[in-house]
Structures are given as C-alpha cells and as structure tokens.
Amino acid sequence: MSVSRRGFVRSVVAGSALAAASTTELFTALGTPARAASPPGDVVGKVSVGYQGWFSCPGDSAPIGGWWHWSRDRFQPPSPTNTTIVSWPDMREYTHGYPTAYPQLGNGQPATLFSSYDQQTVDTHFRWMQEYGCDTAALQRFNPFGDEGPTRDAMAQKVRSAAERHGRKFYLMYDVTGWTNMQAELKTDWTTKMSAHTASTAYARQNGKPVVCIWGFGFDDPGRPFAPAPCLEVVNWFKAQGCYVIGGVPTHWRQSINDSRPGFLDVYHAFHMISPWMVGRARTLDELDSYYTNVNVPDQADCAARGIDYQPCVMPGDLSAGHRRHGDFYWRHLYNMIRLGAQGLYVSMFDEFNEGNQIAKTAETQATSPSGVGIRALDEDGVACSADYYLRITADGGRMLKGQLALTPVRPTPPVVGGPPPTPGGNLAAGRPTAASSQNGPYPAANAVDANLASYWESVNGSFPQWWQVDLGASYGVGRIVLRLPAGWPARTQTIAVQGSADGASYATIAPAAGRAFDPATGNTVTIALPGTAARYVRLAVSANTAWPAGQLAQVEVYAATGQPDTPPTAPGSLSVTGRTASSVSLAWTASVDDVGVAGYQVRQGGTVVATVTGTTATVSGLSPSTAYTFTVTARDTAGNTSASSNAVTATTEPPAAANLARGRPTAESSHVQGYASGNVVDGDAGSYWESANSAFPQWVQVDLGASSTVGRVVLKLPPSTAWASRTQTLAVQGSADGATFATVVAAGGRTFDPATGNQVTLSFSARQTRYVRITVTGNTGWPAGQLSELEVYAA
C-alpha cells in the first residue's frame, strides 16, 4: 500500500510561507454572509476520534493474515528489528494477547499485543470511548479492493456492534491514499457495502444526514495524484446520496501552499465540514500558538463566511519524539481550538501506536514495556502518568468544548488519579483545579495557580463577598498559605478568611477573616500560618479590598505541615452485577480499607457519579431499556481522599415489554443483490428490504441481539404495497448462542405473505434463550430469492 497519511508527517513549521489574513480581511474579501454553524449533532459540538482498527495477529481469523500493521514483514512476529510501532499498549484489559518476538517486559511478563479483529478488543476500545467522553469514532477505510478489503469489511461490522453496545456513534472515513481507481470504486463500495451501516442507530448523523468523511483530496503527495475535477465530482456525488460530507484536507488548504496543491479551493469549499490535518506539524507549545494565530483563526473565518463547519484536528503529540510534555501539549491544542470556537474536534488518533500519537491506554513505565528496546512509556519525561491519562484529558477537553468546564489554559487533569504525591515541602496548589464565585472578564480562577505572577484572578467588581478555591487532589494538613499580587501593583489590604473542606461541599474556617496587607516594598506577598488542619479543598473568602472593589489574587501557594497526604482507601473489590431490569442495574462489591475510616462509595458510569452509598451495594435507576452501561466504584475516606477505581463491569438492561429486540441490531446474510442488504431488515422501514442472490437457494439472513435474550416470537414482513403480489416463501427459524452453531427453532414450512393482510407472517414458539436469530429461505413462489423487509424479534 502507498504511504498513508500516518506516514505523511512532513513538518511544515507554523508561519512558513504564510500570508496570514485577519478575520476582518477574510470576511471583506469573501463578501458572503456567514450562516450560523450547524446545530449540535453527532459531529458538531462533539469529540470525534480517528479509529484505525487495523491491527491483526496470526490466529485471530482475520482474512488478511499475519501481523498486520504490527510488523514490517507481517509474516514474521514483531521484534525490535521487525516493527512498525513506536509506542506500546497497556495490555491489562485485553482478554487475549498474542506473543511477540520482543524481549520480556520490564516486570518479567511476556510481551504480547492485541488484535483489532478480536471483538473483545473493539468492545474494550468503545467502552473506553464511553467512559472518557469520546462521542464519535471515525472508522478509517482504505482501498477495500485490495487484499485488506475483506478484513476492513469485517471490521466495519465489529465497530458497528461495539458502537451500538456502548452508546457511541461511528462513521466511515475514506482515505484515498494509493487508491488508483478511487473515483469509481469509492462509489461502488458505498452503494454495495458501506451504506448498509447507516441503518444502525449508532451510525453518526449530522443535520439529519449520515456522515461520511473523505480524507486526502488536494495533498501535495504522489500517493494522492487526483485532479480537482474528479475529486469535486465525488464530493457532490456523496452529497447527492443525502450524506453530510467531511473533508480531511491539508493543513494549508485555504492558501494552497506547502502541503496543499493549487486548484482545489472549489473542492474544499464543497464539503459540509472541513477538518485540516495537523499531525507532524507542531512539536512545541509555541508552534501550536503560531498555528492558532496564522492558520486556525483565518481558517475558521473562511468557513464561517461560507457556511462550512470547522473541525480542526487536535493531537496528544508524538510520545516517541518527546512532544507530549506530560499532557500540556495536548491541553494547549484543545484549549486553542475551543477558544477559537471550532464546531467540533477531531482527535488524531485513538489507537495510532505506529506513530505514537494514540490516546488509548498506553504503557505507563518501562515495567510494562519491552526491556531494553527504547520504547518510551508515558513517564518518559520523569512525570508519572496513568495508562488512561490521555483519555482523561480527552474527557476534560470534551467537557470544556460543551461548556461543562470553564475555558482554561491550565490543564485541569492530573497525570495520575488524585494527583501525584507532591515533592515534600512543595506547593500543593500548583496547576491544580480551581473554582471561584465569579470572575471579571479574562481573569479566571486558574490564573492563581499558573506560576505566572503577571496573570491574576479578579472577581466581579462591586459585589462582596467573593471566594476563590483550589482542589489539592487529596487531604493534607495545611500548615501555610502564601498569597501574591503582581509586583508592580500599589499597596492594598484585602480582608481574607481561609476555609477548608474534605468534600468541596461543607467548609469550616481554618483562619478567621483579617486584613491581609499586600505591600510592593515586600513583594506584594502575604504569608498566613495555619494549624495543620486537614483539608482537600482550600477556599479564600474575600470580603473587602482597599484598592479595588473585587477579590484579586495572582498566586496562591499552599504548603502542607507534613508534606505528605493522608493515605487514600484501597480500591473496592470484586464489583459484580447482581440484578437487572429494563430501567435499573444492581451492583455489589467488597469493602475498601482505610486508616481513618471509609465514609462511603461512589458508583460511576464513565466519569459521572450516578449513586452515592455508605454500604457495599447499590442500584442505579433511571436507565434506558436494552442499553449497555459500564460501571466502576470508588471509595472515599473521612479525610476526603478518593480511592482508585474498582474493576469495571458492563451490564445491558432488559428490553421493555413488547419491544422489538432486533431493531437496529447488527445483521449478517448469505448474500444480497444491489443495495438490498441485510441491514434493511432491522431499519424500521417497511419499504426497504433484503434480497438474496437470485436462483441460488438456500439463503439466510440473521440478526445479532447483542446478548442472550428470551425469545418467543418473530414477525416477518415484506413491503405492504399491493405492487408486491402474494407469495409463499419456504423458511425456517434458527437460533444460536455464539453465531457459529445454530439449532432449529421453527421447522421449514411454507409461509404465505399476502398484501391483503399486510404481507406479514408471525411465528410463535416456546420461549428460549438465544442471541442470534437466523431465517433460512429455501424457496419463494414470487421471486427466485429470499426476500424480507423486516425481521422483528419479540420476547413472547
């Protein structure tokens, strides 16, 4: 295969050959009225992640065979001399690992890798997406007419199933790299295969239209030699199919310089959404800021003027090249694109271990990386980071995009849950999450912990009292607080009390309100000695200021009396599901242990607390029927410390009474003709239908209910129009627990579909447990093929 965009990371230094235009200049030059951005949908207002799903291993049954994308020579196991990866995945949550020729991990365990072809791998990835706020996955699809086509086809179904189970959305992202017959074959692939997936409830839609992305038009690269005219024709063809079309375009698309060939502006402007590529373009915070000013701001203005949605690429940085700065690089990129007002974010990438810009769980230290081969772990710059750190940053970035978290340049996500232990005697407040009763203009609470004395927090003016607080991440005996204002400010006295809290809800006074004199002669610094009272949340209550009618703080430093936090509880153990209904899930776990006593437990669905209890059982209510939910539990002690999470469990709620269990579920078939694919039998549209290959009985169509379910009735339909004459199909109903071995549920017999009675057949049988329901057709008096418009499955 030709070099893909993953290898196309020719660095273009921000600002090089740029003729940067201001927003005003762009609006004036375009002379076109701007329309409002599209309303929120599955890509607008959402975090999308690029999903490769392209790793395979011998023995996983993938049609392509071998170590696909793990090795240069895919028929030999990956090793330090036969590899395509630069980062190592954290393998602890995969049920199946495949042995490699790498040395053992630093902890002595064998070096194994996962296969994307294992459904459990895809389910694990989509569970992470659910838990960490990744809304939508862009499934990468390269030329499917080569040897990887059958594997890619199967991966699309696996992704669809996982997205449906975990409440995520997905869409197809075609990469045209090396695709010689792209113009004709892309359309064929969509009409004959991929469009069937739009029947899924998990397929992403924007403005009511199924989403498709085309990546690679206009790049100045020999792997994408297409002229503008055929590219424009393809974009317009997809739009004519009723699709919302995203363009994955060069960084400098708007100016047709550097990575963009000239003559493509009409192509770029034909897209509904533009998503410029950024991987390999920036390595430092300064370069990200330069791209923001010189590229992203005018890009956004151009899109706004033309009624195009803007979805910039954001990236964690290349771990193997040391770009990440323990999360600060990723957060700066997120912050810049959100303050820009981008319509959505595209994270590159979820599982890109080949180029080191993955956010999926990654080896934390050399203990979980192959020994002596130089693969960098997440602690590569000396800062300990948990395996899920970049997923947690993504979750916080998504909250900031949606307005659930205040816009802040200071990363709120600690590298490890609860924050790393501070250096003994160090400032506990540095870089920690903050909050305030209010802020005046561009002076947010986070400025008081950013180490920049020129920035500061200021409350709204003329409205005392006000407060500012910091979350230390754990409970400390607080012994001293240092408050600072910018050195050049005139003297002033602020009346300030110090308060502390274990839970961020109930506060007690640590130091009473008193006048705190800030004098430029002594550095505008105030030190408040404290008695070592334990607190996780430290709040400064400001009730007066002699120089300005607001609370003002440029720097807040908090120091512990001992330098070390109280020990958090142990993680709850053995979390399990003890019961399910259509609207609830019941859970139980073993108790945590703590030196000062466990105060209670929080049940979490992803990052959201959905129940708080004092015992070791809980029932989470208000859930949707037939929906998969993943839960964890944490413990809190009486000092306000939070434990690590328990094991995760996933439970699917029961279906509602009289619900069609098959609606929107994954399907399969023995064959189909033209666009009459198996997905049509679960789309709820009686006018669409599945039709098998003609004159080739027997044929079958089946549905995967997602989990073993009680089944007692199936309803089979044909389009009700009188244009469909009466016919009798000889068919049988079969069931399976694993999709491999099927047993007969209803024996083969003639079933008459009569338009006078709605072209509908109902088959009832003794209730039984099954996951896969298959209809096998061996005859049809009206057409030489199997035909069904709907396959409905009910509990009774």
Side-chain angles (χ1 to χ4, degrees):
M1 192 173 81
S2 301
V3 177
S4 78
R5 69 170 178 264
R6 315 323 156 199
F8 186 64
V9 293
R10 181 177 59 188
S11 182
V12 182
V13 177
S16 171
L18 290 176
S22 72
T23 303
T24 302
E25 289 167 342
L26 278 165
F27 273 96
T28 302
L30 290 168
T32 304
R35 80 164 164 81
S38 294
D42 292 337
V43 289
V44 170
K46 298 297 193 295
V47 175
S48 299
V49 295
Y51 189 68
Q52 302 284 28
W54 64 7
F55 294 106
S56 182
C57 306
D60 63 4
S61 301
I64 196 166
W67 293 93
W68 189 40
H69 284 282
W70 288 125
S71 297
R72 285 198 305 272
D73 177 355
R74 79 170 190 248
F75 300 108
Q76 298 298 323
S79 69
T81 58
N82 180 40
T83 188
T84 61
I85 61 171
V86 296
S87 290
W88 197 264
D90 180 278
M91 291 293 296
R92 288 175 291 185
E93 294 184 48
Y94 301 101
T95 58
H96 193 181
Y98 295 80
T100 71
Y102 273 95
Q104 289 183 329
L105 306 182
N107 59 15
Q109 295 179 353
T112 62
L113 292 168
F114 65 79
S115 167
S116 301
Y117 203 76
D118 290 342
Q119 184 68 56
Q120 189 271 338
T121 295
V122 187
D123 284 337
T124 297
H125 289 166
F126 274 75
R127 172 170 59 80
W128 293 346
M129 293 181 201
Q130 179 188 40
E131 292 174 352
Y132 297 99
C134 304
D135 302 296
T136 303
L139 175 61
Q140 315 297 290
R141 187 166 177 83
F142 298 87
N143 181 0
F145 291 85
D147 65 345
E148 69 177 88
T151 303
R152 281 285 173 193
D153 293 348
M155 286 307 304
Q157 182 60 54
K158 293 174 188 290
V159 164
R160 173 177 173 171
S161 298
E164 290 170 342
R165 272 191 285 276
H166 294 283
R168 301 299 90 187
K169 300 294 184 178
F170 78 101
Y171 63 86
L172 268 294
M173 187 173 190
Y174 283 105
D175 187 322
V176 299
T177 304
W179 196 343
T180 304
N181 298 318
M182 172 276 301
Q183 187 177 7
E185 290 178 349
L186 201 158
K187 302 174 195 174
T188 299
D189 184 69
W190 178 254
T191 55
T192 62
K193 292 181 179 179
M194 293 298 104
S195 63
H197 290 295
T198 64
S200 170
T201 55
Y203 197 87
R205 291 182 174 271
Q206 182 61 50
N207 302 347
K209 302 176 180 181
V211 177
V212 174
C213 180
I214 305 171
W215 194 96
F217 286 169
F219 279 82
D220 187 13
D221 177 77
R224 309 169 191 89
F226 316 108
C231 295
L232 181 60
E233 191 274 337
V234 167
V235 176
N236 286 332
W237 182 87
F238 271 100
K239 291 167 74 173
Q241 305 306 301
C243 296
Y244 177 93
V245 189
I246 304 174
V249 302
T251 310
H252 300 285
W253 62 275
R254 180 176 39 81
Q255 295 171 291
S256 300
I257 59 173
N258 296 336
D259 60 346
S260 176
R261 288 191 281 137
F264 275 80
L265 270 178
D266 286 345
V267 179
Y268 302 145
H269 287 146
F271 288 112
H272 292 114
M273 172 178 271
I274 286 179
S275 186
W277 190 238
M278 270 296 292
V279 173
R281 304 301 194 257
R283 300 150 295 183
T284 67
L285 303 185
D286 287 344
E287 288 179 355
L288 287 176
D289 290 345
S290 179
Y291 271 102
Y292 168 80
T293 301
N294 296 318
V295 175
N296 302 123
V297 169
D299 273 5
Q300 174 78 85
D302 184 289
C303 288
R306 297 178 182 274
I308 299 171
D309 296 318
Y310 188 54
Q311 183 201 51
C313 170
V314 292
M315 54 193 179
D318 182 356
L319 177 61
S320 67
H323 295 167
R324 294 203 172 190
R325 299 171 58 92
H326 49 270
D328 287 346
F329 183 90
Y330 190 22
W331 190 258
R332 179 67 64 85
H333 211 180
L334 289 163
Y335 167 72
N336 280 352
M337 296 306 99
I338 294 169
R339 69 180 170 125
L340 175 73
Q343 276 69 62
L345 299 177
Y346 178 80
V347 178
S348 181
M349 303 282 288
F350 187 87
D351 55 341
E352 179 56 281
F353 291 94
N354 304 90
E355 290 184 357
N357 62 320
Q358 75 286 344
I359 62 169
K361 296 186 182 183
T362 299
E364 298 169 339
T365 68
Q366 291 304 310
T368 51
S369 301
S371 297
V373 300
I375 294 179
R376 294 192 187 207
L378 291 180
D379 67 347
E380 50 91 21
D381 65 355
V383 176
C385 301
S386 63
D388 69 345
Y389 179 38
Y390 288 89
L391 290 167
R392 289 190 289 111
I393 294 177
T394 304
D396 285 340
R399 285 192 282 270
M400 190 164 69
L401 172 70
K402 297 164 188 173
Q404 300 162 356
L405 180 70
L407 182 68
T408 173
V410 179
R411 169 177 48 81
T413 318
V416 297
V417 176
T423 302
N427 174 18
L428 306 176
R432 296 297 308 170
T434 60
S437 53
S438 66
Q439 75 177 57
N440 180 31
Y443 308 114
N447 285 354
V449 294
D450 66 359
N452 178 7
L453 274 175
S455 69
Y456 58 96
W457 164 70
E458 181 174 300
S459 71
V460 296
N461 290 189
S463 181
F464 286 117
Q466 298 287 337
W467 57 261
W468 176 99
Q469 75 181 37
V470 60
D471 175 5
L472 304 180
S475 181
Y476 294 85
V478 180
R480 177 167 53 100
I481 291 182
V482 179
L483 310 179
R484 305 182 194 273
L485 291 179
W489 282 21
R492 68 201 62 205
T493 297
Q494 297 190 70
T495 303
I496 300 174
V498 181
Q499 299 171 326
S501 172
D503 58 8
S506 301
Y507 284 82
T509 299
I510 299 176
R516 317 292 180 179
F518 295 83
D519 187 341
T522 55
N524 267 341
T525 298
V526 168
T527 299
I528 305 174
L530 301 171
T533 303
R536 171 175 173 170
Y537 298 85
V538 174
R539 175 176 289 186
L540 302 174
V542 185
S543 54
N545 185 338
T546 60
W548 198 260
Q552 296 173 311
L553 295 168
Q555 188 79 53
V556 177
E557 300 169 10
V558 179
Y559 297 90
T562 63
Q564 293 297 327
D566 176 57
T567 303
T570 60
S574 303
L575 178 63
S576 62
V577 178
T578 58
R580 295 176 298 167
T581 69
S583 60
S584 69
V585 172
S586 296
L587 305 166
W589 56 91
T590 57
S592 298
V593 177
D594 185 74
D595 55 350
V596 299
V598 174
Y601 299 89
Q602 292 181 328
V603 180
R604 298 172 183 266
Q605 181 196 334
T608 303
V609 176
V610 292
T612 300
V613 297
T614 56
T616 56
T617 62
T619 297
V620 181
S621 303
L623 306 179
S624 299
S626 304
T627 303
Y629 294 91
T630 299
F631 301 99
T632 58
V633 178
T634 57
R636 290 173 64 86
D637 66 15
T638 55
N641 298 303
T642 300
S643 74
S645 295
S646 68
N647 58 294
V649 295
T650 299
T652 300
T653 50
E654 295 289 341
N660 174 14
L661 306 181
R663 178 68 182 273
R665 299 300 307 169
T667 60
E669 62 194 12
S670 53
S671 65
H672 74 270
V673 294
Q674 299 180 36
Y676 308 120
S678 61
N680 288 344
V681 303
V682 295
D683 65 359
D685 179 1
S688 67
Y689 60 95
W690 163 73
E691 181 174 303
S692 72
N694 291 186
S695 303
F697 290 118
Q699 297 288 338
W700 55 264
V701 62
Q702 73 183 39
V703 60
D704 174 5
L705 304 180
S708 181
S709 304
T710 302
V711 173
R713 177 167 55 100
V714 297
V715 177
L716 310 177
K717 297 179 180 179
L718 290 180
S721 169
T722 54
W724 281 66
S726 177
R727 67 200 64 203
T728 298
Q729 298 191 68
T730 304
L731 54 85
V733 182
Q734 298 173 306
S736 172
D738 58 8
T741 303
F742 283 81
T744 298
V745 176
V746 178
R751 319 296 178 187
T752 300
F753 294 81
D754 186 344
T757 56
N759 265 345
Q760 175 175 307
V761 169
T762 298
L763 300 174
S764 298
F765 44 87
S766 298
R768 65 192 63 211
Q769 290 291 119
T770 191
R771 172 172 174 172
Y772 298 85
V773 176
R774 175 179 289 184
I775 307 300
T776 300
V777 185
T778 53
N780 186 341
T781 61
W783 196 260
Q787 296 173 311
L788 286 176
S789 69
E790 289 297 306
L791 164 55
E792 299 175 356
V793 180
Y794 297 91

